[in-house]
Amino acid sequence: MLLLDSNIPIYLQISQFIENEILSNRLVAEDKVPSTNEFSKSMNVNPATAGKGLNELVDQGILYKKRGLGMFVTEEAKTIIIRNRKDYFTKNLLPDFLNEAKQLAISKEELMEMIRSDYHA
């Protein structure tokens, strides 16, 4: 279920929803994704907005279009999403995380132990 967050553009929320469905294996290669009109009706958003979210995934190679049939998950979708999200994590989240640890005077050893103990929890 997609819950709208006013801090994130709706079209990106649609893209992220589909990505999360792929990462969790609820959508796999060659599965058909909901259409622009289905997203539009279920979320009460403009069809152009829904289409922008789906086309964003087409542009990234996560979805592909079959004329007259809809949009489908590519074979490479999960690999592309993981690569993109790891890149985002490394460039955007990790620096802030490490900076906060340094400001709190958490040693590298303490940090590694925190990660080890929580990572498999």
Side-chain angles (χ1 to χ4, degrees), residues 13-51:
Q13 292 179 63
I14 292 169
S15 295
Q16 289 171 352
F17 174 77
I18 296 291
E19 287 181 358
N20 290 339
E21 293 291 292
I22 293 167
L23 289 176
S24 65
N25 294 317
R26 286 187 290 271
L27 284 173
V28 296
E30 301 305 322
D31 278 355
K32 186 178 188 297
V33 299
S35 71
T36 297
N37 288 333
E38 289 169 329
F39 270 115
S40 174
K41 288 177 187 171
S42 69
M43 296 176 55
N44 197 28
V45 298
N46 187 307
T49 301

Side-chain angles (χ1 to χ4, degrees), residues 3-86:
L3 300 174
L4 295 179
D5 178 343
S6 62
N7 296 320
I8 302 171
I10 294 170
Y11 80 94
L12 287 179
Q13 292 179 63
I14 292 169
S15 295
Q16 289 171 352
F17 174 77
I18 296 291
E19 287 181 358
N20 290 339
E21 293 291 292
I22 293 167
L23 289 176
S24 65
N25 294 317
R26 286 187 290 271
L27 284 173
V28 296
E30 301 305 322
D31 278 355
K32 186 178 188 297
V33 299
S35 71
T36 297
N37 288 333
E38 289 169 329
F39 270 115
S40 174
K41 288 177 187 171
S42 69
M43 296 176 55
N44 197 28
V45 298
N46 187 307
T49 301
K52 185 174 180 181
L54 294 173
N55 285 322
E56 181 83 15
L57 297 175
V58 170
D59 292 344
Q60 294 177 46
I62 293 168
L63 300 180
Y64 70 96
K65 296 178 184 180
K66 283 187 183 178
R67 188 177 175 113
L69 297 176
M71 293 191 197
F72 296 81
V73 178
T74 66
E75 293 286 337
E76 307 83 15
K78 195 168 188 174
T79 301
I80 293 168
I81 295 165
I82 290 170
R83 183 188 67 230
N84 289 346
R85 289 196 179 185
K86 279 183 179 181

